Amino acid sequence: MIKPNLVVFSHLRWSFVHQRPQHLLSRLAQHWSITFIEEPLMCEGLPFLQESHTEESITVVVPRTPLTDPGFHENQVEVLQPLIQGWLARQGIDHPVVWLYTPMALPLARVLDPVCMVYDCMDELSAFKDAPRRLWQHERALMQEAALVLTGGPSLFEARRRLNPNVHCIPSSVDAAHFSPSRLDCSSQAAQDVQALQGHIGGPKLGFFGVIDERMDVALMTHLADAQPLWQIVMVGPVVKIDPATLPRQGNIHWLGMQDYQRLPYFLAGWDVCLMPFALNEATRFISPTKTLEYMAGGKPVVSTAVNDVVSMYGMAVEVAYAYSGFVRACERLLAASDTAREVRSREMASLVAAGSWERSASKVNTLLCEARDMALRCPFSARRLPVPQGELPLEMTPDPVSTPW
């Protein structure tokens, strides 16, 4: 059976941190022929497309152009349009379903004459540092034109549900087997690599993995390191959009950089407490961190700042702190917890992990994709430009400033 074509435009690179796009699309590749088109990279000379293939047979396309304009800037679109259209034509791909992770790719998506468009709204991109000037305008249009909108958590769902009649909340899920302590192989290369990186670090170890950017509360990290100088804080992940020189450099904070997804369970196994030290600002108002369930799948207790989706979905199993001093005390409680308290928390975490698999999420998304595509084929015009439900006013999509409770 020939798989239908799904063309994805993403501001995130496939080889970057393994997160929502990789989890969902790798599983959807069982049912769809997927082309993953990244933002362009700069090159000398004439523009071209760089092609590679993943283990799941996803085709990753990286445009290379001589332009300095960032991302899917309108100047880049003028160059990319004939390149991408020509490449897709040579592959025999026409009228695909188009999936967007960034509204900035909307002008490119339109010229492909898609059967329908899907918007996976995994973040409030307009609130991020260095957000494109026209992002809000493009997202407004995309919310009107998309046949299907997915959101990365309940906060984003509430902010988007009245802007399109077909919005579904698909929260961050987890590959529980990948992080399960019972699946660890101490003789593996990943285990040996992690041992070399953190084996010499004493304890107790408090750890974080993920992207380190403007969402990180750097002052909280400083406070935590100063309050408990005997604790060792292990930070795993790439530093992006912020100056690494601004990060705290106390001797008990260890910045280990970006690491392969295969290594993360072995880092996790060596930690006593897992951290989510997010700032409470516009950039974090709508986030739904994937790492929450990943930490739990590794059987580790978690301390987080009061991120909305973390509180609403996982508050019964995560220690939520509302002040710097409270964050330190929460870590102290978890480190000193009795065996009985650990067992109770472990059961709560296991229940949440069991309910949140990526397989289940991908299956639901595949059903929604097929329904959107079938509807578009039956009713092309109505499926490509769906009206906002009558009687409901669209919500303002630019988030209000959020004051920190610290």
Side-chain angles (χ1 to χ4, degrees):
M1 180 177 177
I2 298 176
K3 298 178 183 178
N5 290 302
L6 182 65
V7 175
V8 180
F9 288 96
S10 177
H11 61 295
L12 298 170
R13 305 208 176 275
W14 190 266
S15 60
F16 191 54
V17 174
H18 199 90
Q19 51 191 309
R20 181 184 179 92
Q22 290 88 342
H23 281 297
L24 279 179
L25 296 175
S26 293
R27 290 164 174 81
L28 289 175
Q30 300 174 43
H31 312 285
W32 297 79
S33 178
I34 299 177
T35 302
F36 186 87
I37 303 176
E38 300 180 358
E39 289 184 338
L41 291 174
M42 191 175 177
C43 72
E44 299 291 338
L46 296 176
F48 66 97
L49 299 180
Q50 184 177 316
E51 177 185 340
S52 62
H53 302 273
T54 72
E55 293 180 0
E56 301 83 9
S57 298
I58 293 173
T59 301
V60 178
V61 175
V62 184
R64 307 298 296 266
T65 81
L67 303 180
T68 58
D69 302 282
F72 292 112
H73 187 277
E74 57 195 34
N75 292 337
Q76 295 278 14
V77 169
E78 293 179 9
V79 176
L80 296 179
Q81 177 181 332
L83 275 178
I84 292 173
Q85 282 184 300
W87 185 89
L88 291 175
R90 290 191 295 274
Q91 311 306 311
I93 299 173
D94 61 345
H95 307 299
V97 174
V98 173
W99 175 305
L100 296 97
Y101 274 108
T102 170
M104 293 302 294
L106 179 59
L108 275 172
R110 284 171 172 156
V111 301
L112 299 185
D113 191 21
V115 170
C116 64
M117 287 189 286
V118 178
Y119 178 30
D120 190 3
C121 181
M122 61 179 282
D123 285 307
E124 180 60 77
L125 296 177
S126 64
F128 282 15
K129 188 176 184 291
D130 303 325
R133 180 175 55 85
R134 299 190 66 184
L135 179 65
W136 184 87
Q137 177 184 345
H138 285 310
E139 181 166 6
R140 197 74 178 185
L142 178 55
M143 289 299 299
Q144 288 282 315
E145 297 180 38
L148 170 65
V149 177
L150 311 173
T151 68
S155 294
L156 276 172
F157 175 76
E158 290 302 319
R160 297 297 190 278
R161 65 185 178 87
R162 288 189 284 171
L163 295 171
N164 184 289
N166 196 25
V167 182
H168 297 264
C169 183
I170 307 293
S172 294
S173 303
V174 65
D175 182 348
H178 182 74
F179 290 93
S180 172
S182 66
R183 296 285 295 272
L184 297 179
D185 178 2
C186 294
S187 65
S188 68
Q189 186 61 53
Q192 295 173 39
D193 293 341
V194 171
Q195 176 63 22
L197 288 166
Q198 76 170 15
H200 65 284
I201 300 173
K205 291 190 186 75
L206 293 77
F208 167 93
F209 58 65
V211 179
I212 298 165
D213 56 17
E214 75 273 19
R215 294 171 292 179
M216 179 71 62
D217 192 330
V218 175
L220 172 56
M221 296 299 301
T222 300
H223 180 86
L224 182 64
D226 289 342
Q228 291 287 351
L230 296 182
W231 291 356
Q232 303 301 312
I233 303 169
V234 180
M235 304 295 290
V236 173
V239 178
V240 300
K241 294 189 292 182
I242 59 173
D243 184 356
T246 64
L247 299 175
R249 295 295 173 181
Q250 285 91 332
N252 59 334
I253 303 182
H254 309 269
W255 303 95
L256 301 187
M258 183 169 173
Q259 301 293 330
D260 187 88
Y261 182 64
Q262 299 302 321
R263 294 180 179 179
L264 298 187
Y266 295 93
F267 278 109
L268 190 56
W271 299 345
D272 299 290
V273 173
C274 291
L275 306 176
M276 296 204 295
F278 292 110
L280 298 184
N281 55 30
E282 291 186 22
T284 61
R285 182 181 178 186
F286 297 99
I287 64 170
S288 186
T290 304
K291 63 183 59 59
T292 315
L293 286 176
E294 292 174 342
Y295 289 164
M296 292 183 188
K300 300 297 180 177
V302 184
V303 179
S304 177
T305 52
V307 173
N308 290 336
D309 282 5
V310 174
V311 174
S312 64
M313 293 194 295
Y314 312 117
M316 72 293 293
V318 170
E319 284 279 348
V320 178
Y322 294 87
Y324 285 2
S325 58
F327 199 97
V328 176
R329 288 196 298 272
C331 292
E332 291 172 341
R333 284 196 298 274
L334 291 179
L335 289 171
S338 66
D339 290 343
T340 300
R342 291 174 189 270
E343 179 60 31
V344 170
R345 188 179 298 274
S346 179
R347 288 197 297 268
E348 292 172 339
M349 294 192 300
S351 176
L352 290 167
V353 168
S357 74
W358 280 117
E359 284 74 18
R360 184 178 303 174
S361 295
S363 177
K364 180 177 180 180
V365 170
N366 183 57
T367 298
L368 294 170
L369 267 177
C370 292
E371 289 173 351
R373 179 175 180 268
D374 292 346
M375 174 65 75
L377 291 172
R378 290 195 300 269
C379 311
F381 179 78
S382 61
R384 292 187 196 186
R385 193 171 186 87
L386 297 171
V388 175
Q390 293 297 313
E392 294 200 34
L393 296 175
L395 296 176
E396 178 61 54
M397 293 201 302
T398 303
D400 298 327
V402 180
S403 59
T404 177
W406 303 115

